[in-house]
Amino acid sequence: MHLADFVAGSVGGAFGVAVGYPLDTVKVRMQTQTRDSGVWECVRRTCRTEGVSGFYRGMSMPLSTVSISSSLVFGTYRNVLHLLQELRHRSTAEAHRKADLFVSGFAGGVAQVLVMSPADIVKVRLQCQSELPGSRLRYRGPLHCLLSIARDEGLLGLYKGSAALALRDGPSFATYFLTYNMICDALRSTDSSRPGWTVVLLAGGVSGMCGWAVGTPMDVIKARLQVSGVSGRFYRGFFHCLSHSVRSEGIAVLFRGLTVNCIRAFPVNMSVFAVYELVVRFLRSPS
């Protein structure tokens, strides 16, 4: 088992959350309400009504759980990839097949949903609660939000939107890891087995943007399902949310927040892969 990848993924994921959380808040608010016509309007209104702290609502929950979820993503990805190499009787020194990279990334994305879903719904509810009907804030903090959802909506309420989350993260991480490896392979110098740091930064940023380009439609549906019932709108399930959103707001609604996702994805995933590679190389270096 490649334990170094679990550790490196954990550290890289936590660093990425800290870098990208403010824009994540803007993205979620744009996806779940129609008040703002664009990114800058949402940013200005948040600054005006809530101050800088408004961009960091609910951050403690994903920051505390992202270590586990990112560890699962990177660890599952690397171990599934290693398993596929062994099943094909291929040497670990041989180049990975693109299909294997895609399947391993898909497995990593789906694996984290069990851990990610409760933390993600708490994050989204806290990010959006100032937008919800009523003047009083519904949740006092992450723990209160978690317990309130479990009490009012049952334990399954913590997994509301998990199907959309899996449909987002499976294809998104498959694209993510495939793009990263393809760029590293294309730009790696012939005399080195590892990509240089400039290549790592570029590949990480571009792969993050590509992953979100694939994942944003399901990200919109996931966010809407997670605030369903407390936002003034109620969705009966995944297909009702999808059809109702497209019918009432057009197909473009599925790409709401894509610009923010891509702007955020480049520096976040550049940081994630830089920290990941740094930790992996340190842990695997000869003592």
Side-chain angles (χ1 to χ4, degrees), residues 25-186:
T25 298
V26 173
K27 178 262 299 184
V28 169
R29 291 186 175 189
M30 289 181 64
Q31 289 176 339
T32 56
Q33 49 85 30
T34 56
R35 188 186 309 178
D36 300 314
S37 59
V39 175
W40 295 115
E41 184 179 340
C42 183
V43 171
R44 284 197 299 269
R45 187 168 56 80
T46 301
C47 285
R48 187 173 61 250
T49 59
E50 302 171 61
V52 175
S53 63
F55 294 102
Y56 293 91
R57 289 189 184 278
M59 182 176 174
S60 60
M61 180 61 78
L63 196 58
S64 62
T65 57
V66 74
S67 294
I68 303 173
S69 62
S70 291
S71 175
L72 274 173
V73 170
F74 281 87
T76 301
Y77 160 74
R78 180 60 64 182
N79 282 281
V80 170
L81 191 58
H82 180 70
L83 177 63
L84 291 173
Q85 287 282 88
E86 288 188 335
L87 290 175
R88 295 182 189 279
H89 304 290
R90 291 165 62 90
S91 166
T92 54
E94 292 184 72
H96 299 294
R97 293 187 177 186
K98 292 181 176 60
D100 291 351
L101 293 168
F102 189 89
V103 170
S104 301
F106 194 98
V110 173
Q112 70 158 349
V113 172
L114 207 61
V115 174
M116 181 80 168
S117 192
D120 196 61
I121 191 171
V122 168
K123 173 185 76 75
V124 169
R125 292 278 180 96
L126 289 173
Q127 286 174 326
C128 294
Q129 70 170 335
S130 62
E131 313 287 320
L132 302 178
S135 56
R136 292 180 64 246
L137 294 180
R138 186 184 183 101
Y139 308 112
R140 295 192 296 271
L143 185 59
H144 179 247
C145 180
L146 184 74
L147 295 175
S148 296
I149 295 171
R151 184 188 64 241
D152 300 337
E153 303 170 47
L155 290 177
L156 288 179
L158 295 171
Y159 289 88
K160 186 178 288 185
S162 59
L165 183 61
L167 288 172
R168 181 197 76 175
D169 285 350
S172 179
F173 276 105
T175 304
Y176 181 63
F177 286 111
L178 177 60
T179 304
Y180 178 77
N181 280 276
M182 287 175 64
I183 293 175
C184 285
D185 288 343

